[in-house]
Amino acid sequence: LRDSKVNDIKKINTEAVLVNNYELGFVSEYSRLRFELTGFISTSRLGADMIFDPNTGLFNVSRTPERIYGIEAAVQYQLLHNLDISASYSYLEGKADTAKAGGGSYNVYLNGRRIAPPKMTAGVSYRPVKDLELRLQYMGVNGRNRFEKNAKGVYNGNEGRVKAYNLVNFNANYKVAPRTMLTLGIENLLNEDYFPARSQWFMQPGFYSKGKGASFNIGIAVNY
């Protein structure tokens, strides 16, 4: 509404976006192994993507047919009674049919505001003693490069190239009493020098800032 060029709200297309979502998956358990796999597809006749107009500097709503699809997989395995490992992978992609001819060409990729790059995680959880749990967590964000630079040699807003990066976090919980727990967390354990995915695809100078370096926090939780 804020960049409308008409003088009557009745002339603006405010029809709600209706989404058809189809999802299929399964969970399998065998002994100490658990595996999950899910696939989905979502379609809508009226999309709600925000498209950057370099001529006006505004983001306009593009009400075009959309199709988004992806998969998610997760596995967990108990190696020992006090040692668990886990991993996951998620992939998401989406396109819009800008021709609006009803042919379902879906010729334009949706931007980073709607589609996150593929992500992988892995973790190890170890309990050396009854009341102590140690966990090492890995997260890898893959790259996504679906758009070309504009005439000025830069990417439009929400269309920036995402370069891959990897993060490792550590946390520990120790129950010192029935109602008291001490916690230790170390974020970005390896001090990775990176820009978060949102900073990369958003392409706005005020938000193009690096992710947090290595940092830690110590806490105590008491339940009454």
Side-chain angles (χ1 to χ4, degrees):
L1 300 179
R2 63 184 177 184
D3 61 337
S4 175
K5 304 299 189 298
V6 297
N7 56 9
D8 189 341
I9 196 172
K10 294 181 180 179
K11 299 179 181 180
I12 301 176
N13 183 5
T14 58
E15 185 179 349
V17 178
L18 301 180
V19 179
N20 302 307
N21 186 66
Y22 308 94
E23 184 172 323
L24 179 65
F26 69 90
V27 177
S28 180
E29 294 186 5
Y30 176 75
S31 184
R32 293 178 291 181
L33 174 67
R34 177 184 174 90
F35 180 73
E36 301 179 33
L37 179 64
T38 304
F40 72 92
I41 181 170
S42 297
T43 63
S44 60
R45 182 178 59 83
L46 283 179
D49 201 17
M50 298 293 289
I51 304 298
F52 180 77
D53 184 353
N55 297 318
T56 63
L58 297 174
F59 288 91
N60 301 316
V61 177
S62 177
R63 312 215 72 181
T64 56
E66 294 179 353
R67 180 171 61 192
I68 299 175
Y69 52 91
I71 61 170
E72 294 182 355
V75 60
Q76 183 176 1
Y77 184 67
Q78 186 180 30
L79 285 172
L80 302 170
H81 73 280
N82 62 346
L83 179 63
D84 301 326
I85 60 174
S86 61
S88 69
Y89 176 78
S90 61
Y91 173 83
L92 183 67
E93 192 53 272
K95 286 186 173 183
D97 182 6
T98 59
K100 301 181 182 180
S105 60
Y106 295 99
N107 56 324
V108 176
Y109 284 102
L110 297 180
N111 58 42
R113 177 178 173 271
R114 304 288 304 284
I115 305 298
K119 184 175 71 173
M120 299 177 294
T121 69
V124 178
S125 181
Y126 179 53
R127 297 171 295 280
V129 295
K130 178 182 177 181
D131 295 321
L132 175 63
E133 181 177 14
L134 309 175
R135 182 166 180 81
L136 193 65
Q137 183 75 30
Y138 161 79
M139 181 182 71
V141 176
N142 293 357
R144 185 173 189 256
N145 184 20
R146 300 300 193 190
F147 304 96
E148 300 293 335
K149 295 181 180 180
N150 58 30
K152 297 180 181 179
V154 297
Y155 292 102
N156 292 329
N158 294 339
E159 296 183 358
R161 175 187 178 186
V162 177
K163 296 181 180 180
Y165 57 90
N166 303 281
L167 299 176
V168 178
N169 301 319
F170 171 81
N171 63 72
N173 300 318
Y174 181 58
K175 194 173 184 180
V176 296
R179 297 184 179 181
T180 305
M181 179 178 293
L182 297 178
T183 63
L184 167 66
I186 303 178
E187 186 177 351
N188 195 359
L189 182 64
L190 303 181
N191 200 30
E192 173 87 355
D193 186 10
Y194 73 102
F195 286 91
R198 185 178 186 276
S199 291
Q200 297 186 59
W201 59 252
F202 196 46
M203 289 300 298
Q204 298 299 308
F207 296 90
Y208 198 71
S209 56
K210 287 188 175 183
K212 184 186 296 184
S215 60
F216 74 93
N217 64 76
I218 298 175
I220 181 171
V222 179
N223 295 321
Y224 290 97

